Each structure stands twice: as C-alpha cells, then as structure tokens.
Amino acid sequence: MADSTATVPDTGDDEDSLKRSITGAQLFFYTLGDVLGSGIYVLIGLVAAAVGGAFWIAFAAGVTVAAITGSAYAELVTKYPQAAGSSLYVQKAFGNKALTFLVTVSFLSASFAASGSLATGFASYFSQLFDGGGPPALIVSLVFVAVLVLINFIGITESVVMNMLMTFIELTGLVIVMIIGIWYIAEGNADFGTLTDISVSGNPALAVLAGVALSFFAMTGFENTANVAEETIDPYRSFPRSLIGGMVVAGVVYVLVSMAAALTVPVDTLAESDVALLEVVKQGILPFSTDLMTTIFTVIALVAITNTTLVTLVTQPRILYGMAREDVVPGVFARVHATRRSPWVGLLFSGLVVGTLLVTGYAVTAAGGGIDLVNRLALVTVVFLLVIYALVIATCLKLRGQDEDERAFRANTPLLVLGLVGNLAILYYAVYDDPASLLWCAGLLAVGVVLYLLEQLFGGRSAPRPGTASQTPKGDL
Amino acid sequence: MHVIVATDGSKQSLAAAKHLKSFADPTKITEISVVAVVRPLASVAFADDVSENRLDGSFRDAAQSAVDTIAGVFEGWGPKVSKRIRSGSAANEIIKAAKQYDAGLVVVAAGGRGLSDAVLVGSTAQRVQHYAPCPVLVVRPAPRKRK
C-alpha cells in the first residue's frame, strides 16, 4: 500500500478537512424548491378570490417584500454563518430569552400550521388521482406526515440530488401552466382586460393588500435556507446570490403563473377551487388528453408539496434542537437517536403536533364547526411570520456595525426600510382585515408563555453552562 | 498504513476508536485520519455526544469538538493524527476519503440492533462495508444481556 503521508498536510485545517458540500447552484435550487410549491399550488385560489383578475399584482408586491426580507436574512447569515435561523438572530440582537422563546414558539406554530395546510393540500391533490374520490383525505394527510417523519428519522433527507430533482419536477409543473397561458394567448383567446380587473367591493388598494398578505405566505419557506448556510462553499459570495436570486426567480415564476391562471380560467372558478392550479390544466387548452395532463400535473403538484413539507419537517426539529442547546426549550429536544443520529424527540413532537392539528381540524369540520381549522391557522400564523420577518429586518439594522467583516454581504439599507414598512403594512392589513386573528395569535402566544414559565420553573439545566461562546476556547483550528 | 476513523459524534464511534487502539499495532500505522461528516440537509447536521466540553455553537463546531475528542484517544499512541471534517452524505464521504487518502483500513461504528437494522435501509456502516476500497472494521455494540 502506498504511503501517502508525505502528501497530506499535518494540520487539521487543510482544504479538504474543511470540505463543504453545497454549491451555489445547489443552494439556488434549494431556495427555489423551498419557496415554490408551498404556496402557489394551495393558495392561488384564495388570492384570486381576494383580489380578482389582477391578483398577479398582489403576487408581484408580496414577492418583492419577501425578497427584501430575504436580503436581511442573507446579511445576517453571512455575518453569523451558523444554523439556527431567526431565533438565533433575535437572541443575538436583543439577548432576551423570553423574546427568543416567543419568537421560537411563533415560528414553530407558523411552521406547524403550514405543514398542516400543506398536508391537506397534498390530500386534496391526491384525491384527484381517483375518480371515486380515493381514500379519505384525513387518512391521506396523516399517512403523508407520518411517512415524511419516518424519512426524516431514517435520514435520507440528506440527499442534495433528490432535492434538486424534486425542484426540477416542481418547476416543470409551473412551466406547463405558463405554456398553457402562452398557447392561449397565441390562439388569440386571451382577454387582457382580466389582468387589470379588481373585482372586489370596497377599496382596490385594500384588496391588493389582502392579496399581498396571502401571496406573501406563498413566498415563505426561504428562511429555511439559512439552515444550510454553514455548509455552503464560499458562503459569503454564494449565499446572498443564491438566496435572493432564488427568491427573485420564484417571484417571476409566480407572477407569470398567476397571469396565466387569470387569463385561462374564470376568476370565480379559481376562487372556488381547492386546487386552483389544476383548473388551468383542466381547461383543455393544450392539444393533449385532459385526463392525461391532469394526472401528470397532479403528480407534479404532489411532488412539489412533498418537497416543501419535507423541508418544513426538517426545520422544526432542527430549531427545537438548536433552542434546546441554547437552553431556551426543554433539553429533551436536543436528544439524538443513538444510531440514526436524528433528533427523534423533536421529530416525533413535530409529527404529533401536525397530526393532532389535522385530526382536530377534521373533527371541527365534521362537527359542523363551520371553519377549516387547518387553513385558518395557516393564515392566522402569517401574522406571526410577518412579525418575525419585521423583527429580523430590525435585527439586521440593529446589528449593523457589530461583527462586521469585509466579506459579509450588506443589504441595501433603504430597501430594508422599505421591506420593514412593507411587512408592517401587510401586518396591519392582516390584522385590520381579520381582527379575530389577533385572538388566535394571543391564544397561541398564551400557550407559548405558559410553556416558557414551565420551562423556567422545571426545565433548569442540570450542568452549569460554560462561558459564552466567544470565551470558549476553540479547537486547534 | 493510513487508517480512517469515522465519527458521527456518537458514543459508539468513540468506542470504535478505542477498540482500534486496543488491538492494533501503532508501528504499522503511519497515519490516522479522524473524519466527521456534517450532513447539511438533515434535521440535525451533526450531534456531538462524546465531548466533555460541548460548544453551544454551530454544527461545524460540534463536528470539530467530536473530531478533537476522538483524536484525543490516539494522542501519544504513535501515528500521526489528522482531523478532517467533510460535508455531505456520511457513507459517500467516508468512502471518498478512503480513496483520497489511499486508506488501508476504515473504522466505523454500527449501532443498529435487531429489527431496526433490517428494516431501516441505508445504514452508513453497511454502505461503507459494501463500497469501501479497503478493509473495513465495523465495531458493533456489546450484545444486550439476556435474562
């Protein structure tokens, strides 16, 4: 056997010992896959209902505000390239454990609600594959969540290739919608008047703002990208590019898709449909069998939703793990399975919460509660996300001048202020439009406060904490 | 001979390192590379269960301290010890490292027992055994005592 010692440097920090695995292109697709899929398939109908034919304007505005928020994340990530996301930044800027805890609770409840909403979205697309309706939606969504939790536990989510493949499939679906739109225009059937039609009673500006709030939700998920920042090759250069680039591309795709949908399908049909994008394909505009197209498209939508839900379900236990290590949530969430190296307590907890949410939502509907609990929560928790995003932008501005590094990305300050204003405007509208959402949020926060007090009373750390991270001696880097 | 000792931060991987030391002849080993693999897309990219002084930092810090701990096992034993952190899919990276360093032996820990081993595919140790370019030492946990 050849003796290779001569060629291997002594030190632990030679180039390949610090190998990072995610390239800028992969990160770009990761962002794209994260952002696409979650919202558009499930939400486009709601936005159409809120605004009317001009709902693409809402998408454009929502996308812009989201992209600016993304640039704040990019700046923070390049300054603190560690995987913990918004909670960590708020902790760094304000150093208030109660606030960090509430941000964590808010973010997690938004994330749980989103998972629930995605799972019901999955079930409603799944039922399209069967003529007779197929298996009950509740069972489908529960099995869906259970399978994703299991996949997460086994740990095959680490496949970057898989992620890219799913993103490509996702893009294909949206490209099909765009092609249908172009085809329709080419045939000369398009009535461009629809695109400027704002068919709501009352103030058109408010209607657009309502749509913005909804479409903003379609852009969420980008913050999950911060989780893989640390493993990105040349994060200072590629992270801002890939994150913001991915969001801009996703935004353009959204606007084009919503235009195509508005042109080809009557807005009423979109607004009433559970699976609005499918309506576009069902119009039979392309010269293929509608059944075939519908099936293909349904499968694509299922992949898209799976991809996004998977990332959401990866993020929840990761946040719980990170916060458990910071002693913000109970230490049990930091427990990692001995052989699979998965945070099984956190995973199980996430799965159970989402499952309970789905069952409760079903029970409420079945009991004639008159509300779709899961989607209601998903919309309500947008308020949380908006507050968190606004906080992150504020954090970004507050941490200016600290831990600066010439390599760090610096977001455009006027744009950040604009983004902050945009987030607050959407927040204001969300509350104005639906004051009851404040009650929901207060309820969820109350649960958070109770959990916080419990953690403070009973969750004391057994071992004394070592000094702050900056004082802890590093290994021999 | 260049030996690769892989760690995933588990106690079992520490046991594997100690096991190697318990029987191998240090004069036959030219170098030991302690390799940790961070899995960026997994829920927990790296969890360090072996270090005394846990850093509450990033996953990369966790991998670093796990590698430091494992490397500490071989301190003063003879062979030169280098520490390497890679990123990606665990089995792939271990196999790649083995090829790159022209390793003569790979040491991995396997923790699975019984049914879970058969049902849950993709055990890192299993994949390394199948595809490594050199012999592989799989250190399994002591059997559970039966009553």
Side-chain angles (χ1 to χ4, degrees), chain A residues 450-460:
Chain A
V450 169
L451 290 176
Y452 179 71
L453 292 176
L454 286 178
E455 159 72 3
Q456 287 304 303
L457 286 175
F458 304 109

Side-chain angles (χ1 to χ4, degrees), chain A residues 227 256 441 454:
Chain A
N227 287 333
L256 292 177
C441 289
L454 286 178

